[in-house]
Amino acid sequence: TVSVAPSTPARLQAPQATAPVFSTSAASVREWTARLLSHDPDVRTSAEAALADGAQRALPLLRRFLNPPNDDLSAANQDLQRVAFEILRRIGPPAIPLLVELLHDRRALTRARAADAFIDLAPETESIQPALRRALTDAYPKVAGDAARALGALGAKATPSVGALVKTLAHEDPDVRMYAAEALASIGPGAAGATADLMRALDDRVAGVRWAACEALAGIGPAASTAVPRLILALDDSSVYVRIFAASALGSIGPKASPALPALKEAAADPAVRSEAEWAVARIAGDEAEAPVTLRPLPAASEAPATAFTMADTGNPPLDWNVETGRNVVWSVDLGNETYGRPVVAGGVVYVGTDNALRLNPAYLETSGVLMAFGAAHGEFLWQDVSPRGRALPASLLPTTTGTPYVEGNRLYYITATCRLRSLDTQGFRDGQNDGPYLDEMFQDEDAADIVWELDICGRLGVFPHEATNSNVLPVGDLLIVSTSNGQNEGHTRVPAPRAPSLIAVDKDSGDVIWRAVGPGAQVLHGQWSSPVAIDVGGRTQVLSGGGDGVLRAYDAASGREIWWFDGNPPDAVFRPRPRVFSRGSIIADPVVAEGRVFIALGQDPTHGNGPSLIHAISPNGQGDVTGSRLLWTNRDVGRVVATPVARDGLLYVADLGGTVHCLDAATGAQIWTHETHEPIWGSLHLAGDRIYVGNLEGRMTVLRAGRHKELLAEIDMDAPLYSRPTVAGDAMYLATKNRLYLLKAEGQNEAGAHFR
């Protein structure tokens, strides 16, 4: 077993043969500017690494980049300032004094970028609270809001700032008011002096402020008992999250909230509030135990090998194409502005999640997620499903569909951008029928989707999704199993719905919830974006769920009972959401099963940048905590991983946020070879036949030969970033960029097709 002691891999340290010179002379500034803005990724990345490694010595030069002569706001200088701030984030705590200076800059965008950088630098920002308190009064709401978030990141250490945060509860911008309340929630009992002001915030016209005020009262706990009457009223609020978090606050207050017992018992009739209300009743009555639920004993697991229910693609997709000349491009169509969903092909139709930027339905112009259906052969638009926000939802939710649908016969199942699990008729309304029981579609023309049934995961189960509801749909018999994406609040200070499920199983025909599993609960570090995977272990189907706390959990597929769990983080690891440092990580990539082993890679939200991380191989034959007993090996040569790895023929291919592709020996974890793509790899890693297709944020598709000997087959420049992996169907490849969908096929294999430009 390889040691799991955190250390920075050599490739992330960017060692220099000689120490670079960071002179602020005009010639040096020009030279460094040219390197940082170079079109050559090798030059650009080496310059960024050198400045980040230079730390304090590089700060005077970075200050020059942030203050161009004569306030030159050319596009080049704006790019240079953006890159300079990214480097400051990589430098970390040594950059704090310069960032404090920038909080006073006359340019609002500069102040906002500085405030944003402080959010991820806690706890080293404890001493600069006076500067953050001044920033709470900034005229630019983005600065004030991020200053509140930065104080919230300090938790109880921000107690000296309670008074300033209380004043900020009256800010004219609702987001700033919400962040101030969430910061008070993270401070906890030390914010007891804010109780009266938080009670007034329960009357705010914006639902997000009201539910954040409930969070804060929950954080204060028994000392907030004077708020009990007002919290009882909040149990009838129009917003489901206000009702849920009001119940949570009453439970946190404990026995002093006994007048709320009748109202809580009545609130438990609401399915979304039930778990929180029942917990609150038990807490108030003194019957609630904080210990985890003990599961009924399960039969001993056999030592039979684990078998995954998914297989890699075969076929012969193209090795080269050109999106400018059209070589090997059968057709292409516009998508939205932000496409993270993977295309899926079934029954002669290709489906892909994106946003509503195209406004294909003139009657619906709102920003929202959509699922689009195109003819697979010619790319003609067939229909789309829209997911309007409707009631108040977390503002952080991306307005784009990010999950991958599952198609079975004439039914399609997917998670919408607003956290609803939907069953659709693959014919839409083109068959002239409205399949039920859902009959209230917003649109029922030939271009619209026909919803068969819908499960509102937030409204029914009290889930608070964070940033993206991007679970794939896993079919297991008559069940559909999905992650709910339950996560942290808007300010990233706490999990507001710790008793809401992280994983659910529903009946495929009706959408009824069969079982639910809480999973990480309050331990989610940020969000939860891994999709479940099914395996067979000794004749029993297990569902593997990668948690937002870095723990892999295995559940019995039929009952949802937890069988075993493996903690991927070292016990002393600390969450540090910034580049270059070892941090407690989440499981974002899906678990991978091959040859009797389960592989999990740890990562973080890709906006946090790359840093040293871990990947583990585990035996799935166990019960209870298998962290020590079932670990096969750990590799720490990888960076943070978001893209799901691929395993075949005794090898494991892993792509990280540093842009590096790793080939590992699946039996030992030893590194066999690496390949640099120079830009972050999010989710675009795919194995088809003997070819590995890797897309990065620069829009470059790299094709490598699978095997123990690295062979670069092709590098193809696309017209936009590549976020998701392609789908291969025989010799055809369906590839989505950030804003366009392509059908690619080598010449001689093409059938007559049309280009849609």
Side-chain angles (χ1 to χ4, degrees):
T1 300
V2 182
S3 168
V4 298
S7 65
T8 302
R11 66 179 190 82
L12 292 174
Q13 295 175 345
Q16 301 289 322
T18 58
V21 176
F22 303 118
S23 168
T24 56
S25 68
S28 176
V29 170
R30 285 194 300 271
E31 178 188 350
W32 281 100
T33 298
R35 293 176 63 188
L36 290 171
L37 300 181
S38 172
H39 294 295
D40 186 329
D42 287 329
V43 173
R44 189 171 63 246
T45 55
S46 65
E48 292 172 358
L51 287 162
D53 289 334
Q56 288 179 316
R57 293 186 301 112
L59 294 179
L61 180 58
L62 291 167
R63 184 185 282 108
R64 286 288 303 272
F65 296 150
L66 294 165
N67 294 282
N70 304 317
D71 285 340
D72 180 2
L73 296 180
S74 64
N77 274 332
Q78 292 184 51
D79 286 344
L80 187 61
Q81 290 182 43
R82 177 185 54 78
V83 172
F85 266 104
E86 291 175 357
I87 294 170
L88 289 176
R89 294 173 72 93
R90 292 173 64 178
I91 289 173
I96 288 177
L98 175 55
L99 289 167
V100 170
E101 286 182 32
L102 296 171
L103 272 182
H104 302 284
D105 195 274
R106 64 186 179 281
R107 295 161 296 183
L109 181 58
T110 298
R111 299 196 305 274
R113 283 172 165 166
D116 178 73
F118 286 125
I119 296 170
D120 298 336
L121 291 176
E124 287 86 351
T125 52
E126 182 180 3
S127 64
I128 65 158
Q129 288 185 68
L132 293 173
R133 291 196 289 266
R134 286 192 297 271
L136 291 173
T137 64
D138 196 282
Y140 188 31
K142 182 73 167 62
V143 178
D146 283 348
R149 294 176 63 197
L151 288 168
L154 288 169
K157 293 181 179 180
T159 300
S161 298
V162 167
L165 289 166
V166 165
K167 292 180 181 178
T168 310
L169 289 173
H171 198 282
E172 64 180 3
D173 185 279
D175 286 343
V176 178
R177 300 197 299 273
M178 179 180 65
Y179 291 141
E182 290 181 337
L184 291 166
S186 72
I187 292 172
T195 299
D197 296 274
L198 290 166
M199 290 168 59
R200 284 190 286 273
L202 291 174
D203 294 318
D204 197 283
R205 60 183 176 81
V206 176
V209 179
R210 300 198 301 274
W211 75 54
C214 290
E215 284 189 76
L217 292 167
I220 293 170
S225 60
T226 56
V228 168
R230 186 60 190 83
L231 287 167
I232 292 174
L233 294 176
L235 290 174
D236 290 322
D237 194 275
S238 60
S239 166
V240 64
Y241 290 128
V242 177
R243 301 196 300 271
I244 294 169
F245 301 163
S248 177
L250 290 164
S252 298
I253 291 170
K256 292 183 179 180
S258 57
L261 285 172
L264 284 167
K265 291 175 181 177
E266 184 176 344
D270 182 343
V273 184
R274 180 178 300 136
S275 61
E276 211 65 26
E278 291 177 347
W279 171 82
V281 168
R283 280 280 307 223
I284 294 168
D287 297 331
E288 196 271 341
E290 294 292 345
V293 176
T294 301
L295 300 167
R296 295 191 299 274
L298 292 166
S302 75
E303 292 297 328
T307 304
F309 292 142
T310 57
M311 296 181 67
D313 285 333
T314 57
N316 186 35
L319 262 178
D320 72 296
W321 58 86
N322 189 304
V323 297
E324 293 184 358
T325 66
R327 186 178 74 253
N328 290 337
V329 178
V330 181
W331 55 256
S332 69
V333 293
D334 286 328
L335 298 175
N337 290 332
E338 296 289 340
T339 302
Y340 301 100
R342 180 196 180 202
V344 167
V345 182
V349 180
V350 55
Y351 306 93
V352 63
T354 183
D355 60 41
N356 194 39
L358 290 183
R359 308 294 196 265
L360 291 179
N361 183 348
Y364 185 76
L365 304 179
E366 297 178 24
T367 300
S368 70
V370 300
L371 180 75
M372 302 181 74
F374 299 95
H378 304 290
E380 71 276 15
F381 172 71
L382 300 177
W383 53 260
Q384 69 173 7
D385 186 37
V386 301
S387 53
R389 291 186 68 88
R391 55 173 162 67
L393 286 169
S396 67
L397 276 183
L398 294 175
T400 183
T401 301
T402 57
T404 300
Y406 165 66
V407 182
E408 182 180 296
N410 63 349
R411 291 291 180 262
L412 178 148
Y413 308 93
Y414 86 110
I415 297 280
T416 73
T418 53
C419 204
R420 296 167 186 258
L421 176 59
R422 281 182 177 167
S423 169
L424 306 181
D425 176 5
T426 57
Q427 297 298 312
F429 280 102
R430 292 176 170 239
D431 59 4
Q433 298 179 1
N434 188 351
D435 295 270
Y438 192 102
L439 301 174
D440 299 324
E441 288 88 350
M442 179 183 298
F443 302 103
Q444 299 188 8
D445 55 89
E446 286 193 354
D447 293 341
D450 181 1
I451 303 173
V452 180
W453 57 254
E454 175 184 87
L455 171 65
D456 181 354
I457 295 174
C458 299
R460 287 284 306 279
L461 303 175
V463 165
F464 194 91
H466 188 84
E467 293 185 6
T469 57
N470 67 314
S471 177
N472 300 336
V473 177
L474 172 68
V476 179
D478 293 330
L479 297 179
L480 303 174
I481 302 174
V482 296
S483 166
T484 68
S485 299
N486 192 53
Q488 292 217 334
N489 59 18
E490 307 285 60
H492 304 87
T493 58
R494 66 197 295 270
V495 177
R499 281 162 287 279
S502 294
L503 191 72
I504 60 172
V506 307
D507 182 271
K508 182 168 55 179
D509 295 323
S510 67
D512 294 336
V513 178
I514 303 302
W515 57 258
R516 64 189 78 184
V518 172
Q523 305 306 312
V524 178
L525 300 171
H526 190 189
Q528 295 197 90
W529 304 300
S530 179
S531 294
V533 172
I535 62 172
D536 181 277
V537 180
R540 172 189 296 160
T541 302
Q542 298 182 6
V543 176
L544 304 181
S545 177
D549 57 350
V551 176
L552 179 68
R553 295 172 175 83
Y555 297 94
D556 177 74
S559 67
R561 291 181 296 166
E562 191 173 89
I563 301 173
W564 56 264
W565 63 92
F566 177 93
D567 189 347
N569 286 298
D572 57 349
V574 178
F575 182 52
R576 290 286 182 263
R578 56 178 184 256
R580 294 167 59 83
V581 298
F582 182 83
S583 169
R584 192 167 192 84
S586 304
I587 302 173
I588 299 177
D590 301 347
V592 175
V593 181
E595 299 175 4
R597 307 178 187 93
V598 176
F599 306 96
I600 58 167
L602 299 185
Q604 283 196 26
D605 180 329
T607 62
H608 295 166
N610 192 34
S613 191
L614 304 168
I615 185 166
H616 306 286
I618 308 156
S619 168
N621 298 287
Q623 292 189 47
D625 185 354
V626 302
T627 305
S629 62
R630 296 295 177 173
L631 174 65
L632 301 176
W633 55 255
T634 293
N635 180 292
R636 54 187 176 89
D637 293 325
V638 298
R640 296 171 181 168
V641 175
V642 172
T644 298
V646 180
R648 182 189 280 175
D649 298 332
L651 300 176
L652 183 70
Y653 304 96
V654 188
D656 65 28
L657 288 174
T660 304
V661 182
H662 306 257
C663 175
L664 307 180
D665 186 296
T668 66
Q671 188 158 267
I672 297 173
W673 54 256
T674 64
H675 181 80
E676 300 292 340
T677 75
H678 304 292
E679 292 289 337
I681 300 166
W682 281 30
S684 186
L685 175 67
H686 190 66
L687 178 62
D690 64 348
R691 300 167 187 170
I692 307 165
Y693 292 83
V694 188
N696 65 19
L697 260 63
E698 191 178 38
R700 177 171 295 159
M701 176 65 79
T702 300
V703 188
L704 300 163
R705 180 83 68 190
R708 290 184 172 269
H709 303 285
K710 184 176 77 170
E711 181 182 354
L712 176 63
L713 300 177
E715 289 183 321
I716 302 145
D717 289 327
M718 302 296 292
D719 54 357
L722 295 162
Y723 292 122
S724 63
R725 64 190 180 100
T727 289
V728 173
D731 297 330
M733 175 183 287
Y734 295 85
L735 176 64
T737 68
K738 177 182 177 182
N739 49 30
R740 202 162 181 82
L741 176 65
Y742 293 88
L743 170 57
L744 308 170
K745 211 171 188 182
E747 291 182 7
Q749 299 172 330
N750 292 356
E751 297 178 1
H755 291 265
F756 294 80
R757 295 291 181 185

